[in-house]
Amino acid sequence: MSLFGRGAPTPSGAVNQERIEMAINEIDMVSDVFNRIVSSCHSKCISPRYAEGDLNKGESVCIDRCVAKFFEVNKKVGEKMQSAGANA
Amino acid sequence: MDKPKSGIRAALEYTGIPQSWLSARPRLPSRNWLIFIALTSSVLSYYTYDRHQARKIRASYIDRVKHFSEEPMKSSELPRKVTVYGAKWPGDEDHQRATRFFKKYVKPILVAAAIDYDIVATRQLGDLTRHVASSVVNQRRNALGIDRPPASPINLPNKLSEEQQRTRELEGGIILVGRHTLKEYMAGLERGWSGGLEKVDREEHLAQELAADGTFDEVEEGKSPVGVVHDPEAEPIPTSSRLPPSRNTALLPPLVLSKSPSIPDATSEPLVVDSPPSTLPPQPPLLLVPFTNHIGFRYIPHMIWSFFNERDRVRAGAESAYALVMGQTRDFRGPDSLHSDDTLLQEARKSTESSTASGVQDSVQGGDLDFMLWSEKLIKPHSPLSSISDARKSYYSTLPSRLATARQLARGEREMTKEEEKNPPASEVELRAERLAKESKWRAQEEGWNIVRPGTGVRWAEMFRGVLKVFKTPEEDGGSTEAGGV
């Protein structure tokens, strides 16, 4: 999972075209991961019937664990694919 | 008989069922079939009954704690978090038995009560002791100010201060699955709190110790190669000067990496107070979960019995989890408490007969330290010491020849043979690294076995008194004979 601080922006505009591309791709990836997490953990952890807007403790714990597991798996899969891409 | 049945008879008459079937006298199956049906159905129905009861028990405990999870929670709050330790049972290749017991029998109730858990993985005998000892040493060093945790550049809004983290730990709890885990945990606590404050890099120490052996020395002409761990008497020159420089490269990385980023102030480690404190800071309460693991041929009847009686384990696990959820604690009973939590032991103590409990009698310590003392006899036949010594013998007997090969090939004294080109033999550096890995594994196992084996009690120090707490079930009264925390 890379963070935004990777490609440091420089003042000049034209040279950074690739960096802008990279940044756009990164934003796309991160928001894609985020959307997946939201939909997947919501469907798993939050029951469709509820009476109040606040999360209760069970749902909170479930969401914590769901997000943690998702990130772990995402990282592992990314590493595997990188090594597979490097080898093949 | 014809008249009343004529309705059914008439209806079925035209379905094509042969008349003889409809008019036949009902008969029992033959004797052999009856025996078969009786046996099969009794086994199946006992299994079904057991699993049905197990589900009911689990559901009843879940219903009792469900209401905790329905309380609302703000997104800035954190749930209660417990740490789960399940050490490796000696003799079992599967190091996750205790962890799986937790996941199957204790976790469902914790999940239903919205309590977060953190399972700490320990793979080998003694891993938990080392882990606890090093974390205690880190804690002491942080408290004394020797180490400062690095301040992260990003200031996260939900990052807890140290005090808040400490409070969270204390509210949480520690789950110890089985007596062996309790032993390892207490040994780790004792080692951490009564040991010194310096950070021990086990790998580096072991590497230095192994290098001081004569095992990797040059073989003298006409003298037998050294294959054993002690220093050879026949070595005339001090070993350090004779070793080739390549030796140090294998040791340098551990030496370099173990140096922590140097703190510029003048406090060197021996200067700081090393003496163990007289009493510990408050510790999170412990939950002692009864867990046994039957390993070996002689315990196959026990395994079959426990397969058909899973409801006992479900009840035990659920009871422990319920005690944790309710959060009522009592003091950990030390060695001189009169109340021993092991029912079998209490009876044995009352009677003067010590025939059945002879081995166990010797290690009675009293109080919570006797938690599941009877389960030690299950561990007794599984000492790893003999297999370790066999492995050591065979390794050191083949090592000199492999070392000679490696040196010959490295110095170009001979060419590789066909087989060697296909499977290149290990170089000297690899041999050293392999020896380091094997020795560290063997020593870790020996150390772990000495902590866990029957006969050694649970380690106890006076500084633990009054600081440790144990979860108890809410219905338990003072004179209960149940095992502590269950």
Side-chain angles (χ1 to χ4, degrees):
Chain A
M1 254 203 4
S2 47
L3 301 175
F4 285 125
R6 206 160 42 109
T10 58
S12 65
V15 188
N16 299 347
Q17 212 45 40
E18 305 94 48
R19 288 211 176 126
I20 292 178
E21 282 289 325
M22 262 173 30
I24 291 176
N25 282 338
E26 205 166 322
I27 292 179
D28 280 340
M29 277 188 336
V30 171
S31 57
D32 176 59
V33 166
F34 179 76
N35 288 334
R36 279 180 205 275
I37 288 181
V38 166
S39 63
S40 148
C41 293
H42 177 91
S43 62
K44 286 183 185 169
C45 286
I46 302 182
S47 66
R49 298 170 59 92
Y50 46 85
E52 71 234 342
D54 298 318
L55 285 177
N56 59 30
K57 282 190 179 168
E59 289 165 351
S60 294
V61 170
C62 179
I63 287 176
D64 280 348
R65 297 197 72 85
C66 175
V67 173
K69 286 181 187 174
F70 194 101
F71 276 135
E72 277 240 18
V73 171
N74 197 29
K75 191 174 77 162
K76 285 210 165 98
V77 168
E79 283 167 10
K80 278 270 180 204
M81 290 189 49
Q82 263 198 348
S83 61
N87 288 345
Chain B
M1 218 181 86
D2 273 313
K3 293 299 176 210
K5 280 215 173 181
S6 67
I8 304 174
R9 274 287 215 67
L12 290 178
E13 207 175 305
Y14 298 101
T15 56
I17 298 176
Q19 287 287 340
S20 59
W21 286 20
L22 296 175
S23 56
R25 207 185 73 203
R27 269 178 22 228
L28 282 180
S30 63
R31 178 197 74 129
N32 294 340
W33 270 113
L34 283 177
I35 294 173
F36 172 75
I37 288 171
L39 284 176
T40 316
S41 64
S42 63
V43 168
L44 272 179
S45 58
Y46 191 59
Y47 174 82
T48 316
Y49 166 75
D50 175 60
R51 298 303 195 253
H52 177 70
Q53 287 296 316
R55 252 175 278 139
K56 261 177 55 176
I57 292 172
R58 195 178 282 139
S60 79
Y61 276 97
I62 287 180
D63 287 336
R64 281 156 80 178
V65 298
K66 228 169 27 177
H67 63 279
F68 283 114
S69 80
E70 281 153 16
E71 297 166 8
M73 195 166 123
K74 292 207 275 285
S75 56
S76 55
E77 290 172 18
L78 286 173
R80 184 176 161 198
K81 190 156 181 155
V82 298
T83 315
V84 181
Y85 293 122
K88 176 180 171 230
W89 188 273
D92 196 352
E93 278 313 308
D94 184 359
H95 59 96
Q96 285 179 326
R97 265 284 164 75
T99 322
R100 286 209 305 266
F101 180 93
F102 165 79
K103 283 185 187 166
K104 188 160 183 197
Y105 300 116
V106 179
K107 193 175 96 163
I109 287 91
L110 293 189
V111 164
I115 292 181
D116 204 2
Y117 57 91
D118 196 13
I119 302 181
V120 174
T122 50
R123 306 196 63 160
Q124 254 187 28
L125 288 173
D127 261 0
L128 179 60
T129 307
R130 292 183 277 271
H131 176 268
V132 168
S134 64
S135 64
V136 163
V137 164
N138 282 341
Q139 188 190 333
R140 282 169 80 190
R141 286 169 70 101
N142 283 343
L144 286 172
I146 309 172
D147 287 342
R148 271 274 147 248
S152 66
I154 309 170
N155 201 4
L156 295 169
N158 64 348
K159 196 156 166 63
L160 298 176
S161 72
E162 292 221 8
E163 239 196 69
Q164 284 172 320
Q165 262 178 348
R166 196 74 197 125
T167 321
R168 188 155 181 245
E169 270 174 31
L170 285 177
E171 282 172 12
I174 292 180
I175 298 184
L176 302 173
V177 181
R179 182 179 169 83
H180 61 299
T181 314
L182 172 66
K183 276 182 154 177
E184 288 203 20
Y185 181 74
M186 298 293 274
L189 267 191
E190 199 206 4
R191 194 186 290 183
W193 282 105
S194 41
L197 278 176
E198 65 282 345
K199 279 207 185 154
V200 167
D201 188 350
R202 201 161 286 110
E203 288 258 327
E204 177 195 334
H205 277 223
L206 185 59
Q208 287 179 338
E209 192 186 324
L210 291 182
D213 287 337
T215 321
F216 273 81
D217 289 342
E218 299 286 336
V219 174
E220 292 282 312
E221 301 265 310
K223 301 208 168 77
S224 56
V226 282
V228 206
V229 185
H230 59 266
D231 267 299
E233 320 83 307
E235 193 74 10
I237 305 171
T239 48
S240 51
S241 61
R242 297 203 62 207
L243 287 167
S246 66
R247 158 200 189 251
N248 288 318
T249 56
L251 292 182
L252 264 180
L255 279 170
V256 169
L257 290 175
S258 72
K259 280 270 178 277
S260 51
S262 58
I263 304 159
D265 56 55
T267 52
S268 57
E269 296 172 8
L271 200 60
V272 192
V273 147
D274 261 52
S275 61
S278 60
T279 180
L280 308 186
Q283 297 282 319
L286 307 172
L287 176 69
L288 305 173
V289 177
F291 163 70
T292 51
N293 196 8
H294 297 288
I295 304 287
F297 274 123
R298 78 176 82 182
Y299 292 116
I300 287 183
H302 302 76
M303 293 188 218
I304 296 176
W305 179 255
S306 62
F307 174 76
F308 280 108
N309 285 284
E310 202 188 47
R311 57 188 188 280
D312 298 333
R313 278 172 290 162
V314 171
R315 181 177 290 284
E319 193 72 36
S320 318
Y322 184 72
L324 181 97
V325 169
M326 289 303 152
Q328 290 190 13
T329 59
R330 61 167 172 78
D331 276 335
F332 189 96
R333 293 192 264 257
D336 50 354
S337 107
L338 301 166
H339 176 113
S340 169
D341 289 302
D342 198 344
T343 43
L344 293 176
L345 230 47
Q346 272 194 322
E347 267 114 49
R349 266 178 165 183
K350 281 180 196 146
S351 70
T352 49
E353 276 293 301
S354 62
S355 52
T356 48
S358 51
V360 173
Q361 277 277 23
D362 304 330
S363 56
V364 169
Q365 289 165 290
D368 277 317
L369 302 176
D370 287 337
F371 169 66
M372 297 223 350
L373 191 51
W374 60 268
S375 68
E376 290 207 330
K377 66 173 189 288
L378 301 174
I379 295 185
K380 203 156 163 182
H382 298 298
S383 163
L385 297 177
S386 57
S387 67
I388 290 177
S389 66
D390 288 343
R392 269 211 171 110
K393 250 197 299 237
S394 70
Y395 179 71
Y396 282 114
S397 60
T398 59
L399 186 59
S401 60
R402 293 171 73 196
L403 185 57
T405 318
R407 286 200 169 128
Q408 282 171 355
L409 290 175
R411 292 172 191 163
E413 285 167 18
R414 65 178 176 87
E415 289 296 320
M416 290 210 258
T417 66
K418 271 261 171 60
E419 295 86 26
E420 281 174 356
E421 279 186 20
K422 273 187 238 157
N423 313 329
S427 71
E428 189 172 337
V429 177
E430 285 172 10
L431 281 177
R432 283 183 197 276
E434 184 193 34
R435 183 182 175 216
L436 178 65
K438 282 188 189 266
E439 275 290 334
S440 79
K441 196 174 73 148
W442 290 329
R443 280 167 203 229
Q445 283 177 345
E446 283 172 344
E447 188 194 339
W449 171 252
N450 282 328
I451 295 171
V452 173
R453 69 181 160 86
T456 58
V458 175
R459 305 301 300 262
W460 172 262
E462 271 316 302
M463 57 177 136
F464 296 160
R465 195 174 293 281
V467 178
L468 294 176
K469 299 202 180 317
V470 173
F471 285 106
K472 67 173 169 108
T473 50
E475 297 97 7
E476 198 185 62
D477 24 306
S480 149
T481 52
E482 285 198 357
V486 177

